Amino acid sequence: ALSPCIIPEVGHPNFTLGENEMAMGMGIHGEPGIWNGPVKTADELAAESLETLLKDMPVGEGEEICVLINGLGATSIEELYILSGSVRKLLDEKKIKVYRTFVGEFATSMEMAGASISICKVDGEMKDWIDRPVKTPFYTQS
């Protein structure tokens, strides 16, 4: 997270960050994360995030995954694509195959700035589900 959101009913930010400070691992509703500290680059954030994710869900060389880069509400699509490129570069170096990458705002917290990275292992059946047409108020794919 790079900035808090203001919950309308409460009327004030749900957490605070200092100037040039960010929070890593924060929950979408402002739940405390792993650390607060100086703003890092997309490459640094991608490396730390993937290290954490791959410890929790090991993915071997040659295995296939989908990647989701989610904006929290106030992060530009350009910044999300920069983060996506950093993630992809690291996965390529680890020889982990990326079946599809989704970049956008899928779960936001109003005007909170920041992003999340999610990965999902895929097999033939999962790819079939992922590729199916979808039409909802928040997401469409044909």
Side-chain angles (χ1 to χ4, degrees), residues 36-125:
N36 286 16
V39 174
K40 294 187 177 185
T41 67
D43 287 344
E44 292 168 326
L45 294 170
E48 183 173 341
S49 297
L50 281 177
E51 180 182 334
T52 301
L53 290 169
L54 295 173
K55 276 183 186 173
D56 187 54
M57 185 185 73
V59 179
E61 201 173 287
E63 287 190 274
E64 227 169 351
I65 63 171
C66 280
V67 176
L68 184 136
I69 307 295
N70 177 64
L72 298 179
T75 307
S76 72
I77 194 74
E78 292 87 359
E79 291 170 301
L80 296 176
Y81 274 105
I82 290 168
L83 180 59
S84 177
S86 296
V87 168
R88 181 59 185 260
K89 178 180 152 195
L90 292 167
L91 292 170
D92 287 349
E93 288 171 6
K94 295 178 182 299
K95 296 183 175 44
I96 295 172
K97 296 178 184 176
V98 177
Y99 178 65
R100 289 198 48 197
T101 300
F102 299 88
V103 178
E105 292 185 335
F106 303 99
T108 65
S109 188
M110 296 180 283
E111 77 282 8
M112 182 187 283
S116 64
I117 301 169
S118 301
I119 61 174
C120 175
K121 287 185 182 183
V122 295
D123 58 15
E125 181 182 4

